């Protein structure tokens, strides 16, 4: 059998170019699944680490079989990543998120995910601009430094989320998760905005233009995603597909979600943001318009696609890290390389600390007056800081976009930047990743102990206050009185109040058109 | 919005080569879904016809927008078809088939699906070899004629199956369905076998070699599929993935199925047969080893993937039919072309009639002595004949494989063969497809009337006889006596008896290892 496979591989060459790498990848993916399952209860390892290690081992074996030749089939292809692998991951994130918690902490999440990336990217850009020449690594252009700031500011929170649980530490989970998604989107959008800058004329207007570009992309992408989600919900509700076949319902949801992403990419918006909000809207409306079987299926099928795509990416990064040609091209001395890696890791640690702790303090100050339940303690801050240190697939994809042309580079400086990125990704995933479970266990002992010991959280009494501002059937006087109350509340607890208004509006106008649970108040 | 899209399309060009066609395809797929749903209760139209028509219209619009230039993005790519689109369709066929009926009619299905293709391909080859020069269409090589026989012998039964119902006419359904799958596999395997023939020395040894090749491919592909299915079932049962996550179970099933297909392709076996039997084994064992949610999800997710792939293919064929370059290249006169199309349609009708009626008579003669329930009446024979007249995606894919190089051809003869195939596919799908519902309604009025009127079928008394030949706990004498009974039965009703033995064996040895329903006798 093995001989037959080898012979077949040798024979095929040009004939079935795509078949060999696909077979290899699918086989290794299956292996990852089984190993990941067996290691599920391990204290140190998680799925990402397993996949990266298996990827490295596979890459090494291929290298041995091909006798040290680089195998072109295993080069990272950022188009594959952005067109096929990223959309299911982000859509599933939006589809499965607990919307209530997400929107209650919306301000904090946006501060971390947007302002944080700007701060971190600035620190990494300035720091590397100053440090790299000192380490005798020269030759990067200003645009390269700017891109580097963004590349190394995009976090990968998959690993940490495997340790935290939505039910046990809802605040922490929603902050880490929400920041992760917004951060992915922000770094891609910022990266694209930087590409348009005229680096020879860096002044305050440039900064303004980047910020303006960013805001435009952010709002238009979100609007597109919400529209796509609402359109799907409306179609499913009004045409009632389930009458004939559940298969069509599920297909329509999946295809519309993908369409929103790819349309956003076509219009040069941020597909990530679009598909994330499309996922939120679909789980809020469309999901309630389909048959029971379709509901179960969609929950699992989107999770499955996301899971496979994630594993695929980590495998890919693992295999790619042994791209021998890239390593040979680097002309720097060993000492310089170690210095550069150290500098990058230090800048990442610093850049993240520089926004997590100040912004948390700011948020705590804002919410201290009204809502003690959303205070971010110092322990939580440390976990948030740590959770975002891991660099993942988005970093690699952006690096390939910046420093290669169709996955190939002939320039030693660019090759070095690619290997730098891969080293940082491997180091952060393996070292920071290994330490995450112990750290969370140390800082939050009750989370790690057992799921059975979790007590039901005492509900904040404020949460139950309903604000019937838009109740149309009551007298004007009552409404005016209530509006006064509401107004004072709006000043005191802005996010919470907006959320309450939104729920009223949702029940009165949105759900009758786009669908939702029959009993009204259950979800977001 | 539309202007923005157009500008974006114009801008992108090389930048996001893949994004434009993907967006277009996904959008049109969504449209197909909605239109297909709205036309569900129509008397004439079915899903394939809808998709082909929408594809043609889209192709026409693109042609208008690009001002008559051919759009390269819409060329049929047979690698895409064989690597990504065909596997989910065939796997789902195996996964959803009613195994009991399928195996009870196994002999008939194999006669139609294997012997039938050989007969039909011979008639089409000989007929076109004789007719085409008379119609002044010359220049084809012997290999082209041989390939043509196979290309036009592969049926597309999707359309007919949308009219027949598994519950109402189980025999007819299982015959049409089973023949469809076996036929797909046979024509691809035969096509590959023909490629290896030395056409200059056509003698009886060549025929023997083709038959030998065919048998080798058939058995080894089936064995590979069964092994992959059993391995998955064993893994799922022994490791009990559902303990930690349903997502991993579902992913493993999907990935292993795909792995079996792609491995078969790598080993130059028939991926279609492999993945079909993998689907059967998985639904018989693996499906019972997973959580309840995973069962629902797998049922729908495989159906969904298959549905999307089918729609995609019909759209593709529809769009591709307007490939203007291909049409310009054809140098034949209009009269000759019409003659060639007519000849092909006639040969298809003849080739199919030449095996459906004789082979049905043969089957009826064989089973008349023992089992009256499996008699194929003349009406059924007409429906089976008609059901297989439609040519679909497999024909197009094989034609592109034979007559083009990466979807391009510079030769007028080859271009003509491609357009011939497309015309036959369009004509058969549209004309034969349109007439299928009325024909079935006319021949089998009770099927078309309403689902409520279906009476529960009287069960054949023979079906309930269990043959406890392998019951280990009984005395030898009893066993001997029963063995005698069984033996006489084996002669009388071979397939049925084998099936009974298989069930005994399955319950005693296979299910304890690979898993199955707890109550034992429910399924196959």
């Amino acid at each position: 059998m093995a001989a037959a496979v080898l012979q077949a591989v040798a024979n095929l060459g040009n004939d079935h170019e795509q078949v060999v790498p696909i077979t290899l990848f699918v086989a290794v993916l299956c292996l990852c699944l089984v190993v990941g399952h067996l290691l599920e209860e391990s204290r140190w390892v998680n799925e990402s680490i397993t996949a990266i290690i298996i990827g490295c081992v596979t890459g090494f074996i291929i290298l041995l079989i091909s006798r040290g030749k680089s195998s072109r089939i295993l080069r990272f292809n950022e188009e594959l990543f952005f067109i096929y692998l990223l959309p299911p991951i982000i859509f599933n994130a939006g589809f499965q998120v607990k919307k209530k918690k997400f929107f209650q902490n919306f301000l904090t999440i946006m501060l971390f995910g947007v302002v944080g990336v700007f701060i971190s990217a600035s620190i990494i850009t300035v720091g590397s601009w100053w440090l790299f020449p000192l380490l005798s690594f020269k030759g990067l252009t200003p645009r390269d430094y700017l891109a580097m700031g963004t590349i190394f500011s995009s976090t990968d929170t998959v690993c940490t989320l495997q340790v935290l649980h939505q039910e046990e530490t809802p605040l922490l989970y929603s902050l880490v998760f929400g920041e992760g998604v917004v951060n992915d989107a922000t770094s891609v959008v910022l990266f694209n905005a930087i590409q348009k800058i005229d680096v020879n004329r860096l002044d305050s207007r440039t900064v303004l233009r980047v910020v303006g570009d960013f805001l435009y992309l952010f709002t238009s992408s979100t609007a597109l995603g919400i529209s796509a989600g609402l359109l799907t919900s409306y179609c499913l509700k009004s045409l009632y597909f389930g009458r004939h076949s559940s298969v069509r319902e599920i297909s329509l949801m999946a295809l519309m979600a993908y369409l929103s992403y790819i349309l956003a990419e076509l219009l040069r918006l941020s597909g990530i943001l679009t598909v994330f909000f499309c996922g939120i809207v679909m789980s809020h409306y469309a999901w309630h318009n389909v048959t029971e079987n379709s509901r179960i299926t969609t929950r699992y099928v989107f999770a499955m696609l996301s899971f496979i795509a994630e594993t695929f990416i980590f495998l890919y990064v693992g295999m790619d890290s042994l791209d021998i040609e890239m390593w040979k091209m680097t002309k720097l001395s060993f000492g310089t390389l170690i210095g550069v890696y150290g500098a990058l890791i230090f800048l990442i640690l610093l850049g993240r600390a520089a926004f997590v702790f100040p912004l948390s303090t700011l948020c705590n100050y804002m919410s201290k007056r009204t809502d003690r339940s959303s205070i971010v303690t110092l322990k939580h801050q440390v976990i948030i800081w740590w959770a975002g240190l891991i660099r993942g697939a988005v970093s690699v994809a952006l690096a390939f976009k910046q420093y290669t042309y169709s996955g190939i580079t002939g320039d030693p400086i660019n090759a070095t930047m690619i290997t730098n990125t891969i080293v940082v990704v491997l180091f952060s995933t393996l070292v920071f990743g290994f330490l995450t479970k112990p750290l969370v266990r140390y800082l939050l002992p009750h989370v790690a102990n057992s799921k059975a010991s979790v007590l039901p959280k005492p509900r904040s009494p404020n949460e139950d206050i309903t604000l019937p501002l838009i109740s149309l059937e009551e007298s004007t006087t009552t409404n005016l009185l209530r509006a006064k109350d509401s107004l004072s509340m709006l000043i005191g607890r802005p996010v919470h109040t907006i959320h309450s208004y939104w729920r009223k509006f949702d029940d009165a106008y949105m759900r009758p058109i786009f669908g939702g649970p029959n009993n009204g108040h259950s979800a977001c």
Side-chain angles (χ1 to χ4, degrees), chain A residues 124 342-355 357 385-386 389 391 432:
Chain A
I124 293 174
L344 279 173
I345 304 271
F346 170 75
L347 286 172
I348 288 172
L349 286 162
L350 182 73
R352 194 160 172 84
F355 75 84
F357 298 106
W385 172 64
W386 190 264
L389 289 177
R391 296 296 170 264
F432 295 155

Side-chain angles (χ1 to χ4, degrees), chain A residues 223-473:
Chain A
L224 180 62
I226 292 175
S227 318
L230 288 179
L231 179 66
T232 315
S233 313
Y234 183 73
C235 272
L236 285 173
K237 189 176 164 71
S238 58
L239 298 178
Y240 187 30
F241 281 72
R243 180 162 44 109
H244 289 137
S245 93
S246 297
V247 171
R248 269 207 207 94
E249 294 179 331
I250 307 166
S251 310
L252 193 73
M253 283 172 82
L255 287 174
M256 282 299 288
Y258 190 66
L259 185 63
S260 76
Y261 179 87
I262 201 89
L263 203 60
E265 288 292 309
L266 192 69
L267 300 171
R268 295 180 181 269
L269 305 177
S270 162
I272 296 183
L273 271 178
T274 304
V275 82
F276 177 70
F277 279 98
C278 185
I280 289 184
V281 173
M282 278 205 192
S283 79
H284 189 63
Y285 298 114
W287 191 72
H288 297 282
N289 299 338
V290 297
T291 60
E292 182 60 30
N293 284 333
S294 299
R295 285 183 208 176
I296 297 173
T297 307
T298 45
R299 278 261 172 265
Y300 284 97
V301 74
F302 296 140
M304 176 190 98
L305 292 175
S306 160
F307 176 77
I308 292 181
E310 267 170 23
T311 315
F312 192 96
I313 290 170
F314 283 110
L315 268 179
Y316 216 38
V317 171
M319 285 192 189
D320 199 63
S321 64
L322 289 164
D323 185 343
I324 210 80
E325 266 178 27
M326 210 66 107
W327 288 98
K328 278 182 191 160
M329 219 180 276
T330 308
K331 295 268 160 65
L332 299 182
S333 72
F334 187 70
T336 307
L337 280 179
I338 297 293
V340 169
Y341 301 152
L344 279 173
I345 304 271
F346 170 75
L347 286 172
I348 288 172
L349 286 162
L350 182 73
R352 194 160 172 84
F355 75 84
V356 168
F357 298 106
L359 292 181
S360 302
T361 315
L362 179 70
C363 288
N364 286 345
Y365 177 76
M366 285 196 330
S367 54
K368 196 170 275 171
R369 290 175 301 167
T370 51
D371 185 5
R372 299 202 63 86
S373 78
S374 58
I375 293 290
V376 185
T377 64
L378 190 65
K379 282 181 179 179
H380 284 181
Q381 292 177 27
V382 173
I383 291 177
I384 294 172
W385 172 64
W386 190 264
L389 289 177
I390 298 173
R391 296 296 170 264
V394 173
S395 297
V396 176
L398 292 180
F400 270 80
K401 216 172 175 181
Q402 175 73 15
Y403 301 112
T404 72
Y405 184 74
S406 311
I408 306 164
T409 178
D411 180 42
I413 299 289
N414 285 347
T416 311
M417 282 314 300
I418 298 284
T419 53
N420 284 349
T421 313
I422 289 172
V423 167
V424 169
V425 168
L426 286 184
F427 180 86
S428 62
T429 307
L430 294 179
V431 177
F432 295 155
F434 265 114
L435 295 175
T436 302
K437 272 192 192 181
L439 182 81
V440 173
R441 213 172 280 236
Y442 173 74
L443 289 175
L444 304 172
H446 66 281
V447 173
N449 283 344
S450 92
K451 291 191 180 182
S453 69
V454 182
L455 294 170
K457 253 189 59 200
R459 270 180 105 179
S460 147
N462 280 337
E463 259 181 36
D464 286 79
I465 297 174
T466 50
L467 298 167
L469 191 75
I470 325 179
S471 63
L472 298 163
E473 287 153 26

Side-chain angles (χ1 to χ4, degrees), chain A residues 61-323:
Chain A
I61 294 171
I62 294 170
L63 214 64
L64 282 186
I65 290 178
S66 70
R67 284 172 201 155
K69 280 184 225 157
S70 112
S71 38
R72 280 285 287 122
I73 33 171
L74 298 171
R75 268 254 170 96
F76 197 89
N77 173 353
E78 80 268 14
E79 203 152 65
L80 173 75
F81 175 76
F82 279 111
I83 296 184
Y84 299 107
L85 298 174
L86 199 55
I89 298 177
I90 307 289
F91 176 73
N92 185 53
F95 198 76
Q96 316 274 5
V97 70
K98 292 232 161 153
K99 295 176 290 295
K100 194 172 174 177
K101 274 283 156 203
F102 180 81
F103 284 109
Q104 275 178 356
N105 300 308
F106 193 68
L107 267 187
T108 320
I109 288 170
M110 294 309 282
L111 267 181
F112 282 178
V114 178
V115 181
V117 168
F118 277 83
I119 295 176
S120 161
S122 314
I123 288 179
I124 293 174
T125 302
V126 172
S128 55
W129 210 323
W130 175 60
L131 278 174
F132 280 12
L134 293 183
L135 294 160
S136 63
F137 175 41
K138 289 163 192 166
L140 289 172
T141 64
R143 193 190 297 277
D144 287 339
Y145 283 114
L146 281 172
M148 201 191 305
T150 325
I151 290 171
F152 290 113
S153 293
S154 85
T155 68
D156 187 318
T157 35
V158 174
C159 183
T160 317
L161 289 185
Q162 285 169 351
V163 184
L164 298 175
H165 292 280
Q166 199 154 216
E167 288 75 25
E168 291 161 10
T169 48
L171 174 68
L172 198 58
Y173 186 92
S174 75
L175 287 182
V176 170
F177 174 87
E179 194 220 320
V181 174
V182 178
N183 169 301
D184 276 356
T186 310
S187 31
V188 174
V189 171
L190 189 61
F191 182 84
N192 290 333
I194 284 173
Q195 302 295 314
K196 293 188 206 155
I197 293 178
D198 179 4
V199 279
N200 298 319
R201 292 194 305 170
L202 282 176
D203 53 21
S204 58
R205 278 180 61 192
T206 318
V207 175
L208 271 183
R209 198 173 304 142
V210 169
V211 172
D213 257 19
F214 179 82
L215 287 179
Y216 161 72
L217 286 176
F218 205 95
T219 44
S220 50
S221 308
T222 308
L224 180 62
I226 292 175
S227 318
L230 288 179
L231 179 66
T232 315
S233 313
Y234 183 73
C235 272
L236 285 173
K237 189 176 164 71
S238 58
L239 298 178
Y240 187 30
F241 281 72
R243 180 162 44 109
H244 289 137
S245 93
S246 297
V247 171
R248 269 207 207 94
E249 294 179 331
I250 307 166
S251 310
L252 193 73
M253 283 172 82
L255 287 174
M256 282 299 288
Y258 190 66
L259 185 63
S260 76
Y261 179 87
I262 201 89
L263 203 60
E265 288 292 309
L266 192 69
L267 300 171
R268 295 180 181 269
L269 305 177
S270 162
I272 296 183
L273 271 178
T274 304
V275 82
F276 177 70
F277 279 98
C278 185
I280 289 184
V281 173
M282 278 205 192
S283 79
H284 189 63
Y285 298 114
W287 191 72
H288 297 282
N289 299 338
V290 297
T291 60
E292 182 60 30
N293 284 333
S294 299
R295 285 183 208 176
I296 297 173
T297 307
T298 45
R299 278 261 172 265
Y300 284 97
V301 74
F302 296 140
M304 176 190 98
L305 292 175
S306 160
F307 176 77
I308 292 181
E310 267 170 23
T311 315
F312 192 96
I313 290 170
F314 283 110
L315 268 179
Y316 216 38
V317 171
M319 285 192 189
D320 199 63
S321 64
L322 289 164
D323 185 343

Side-chain angles (χ1 to χ4, degrees), chain A residues 481-522:
Chain A
L481 278 172
R482 287 204 173 145
K484 225 171 149 188
D485 286 355
S486 309
L487 205 65
S488 63
M489 213 155 215
L490 184 65
I491 296 159
R493 310 175 56 221
V495 175
H496 201 93
T497 317
I498 290 169
H499 189 245
S500 299
Y501 278 122
W502 159 248
R503 274 173 66 173
K504 283 275 142 198
F505 176 71
D506 192 29
D507 287 341
Y509 299 103
M510 300 294 276
R511 285 192 170 153
I513 302 173
F514 299 109
N518 295 329
N519 50 349
H521 290 267
S522 70

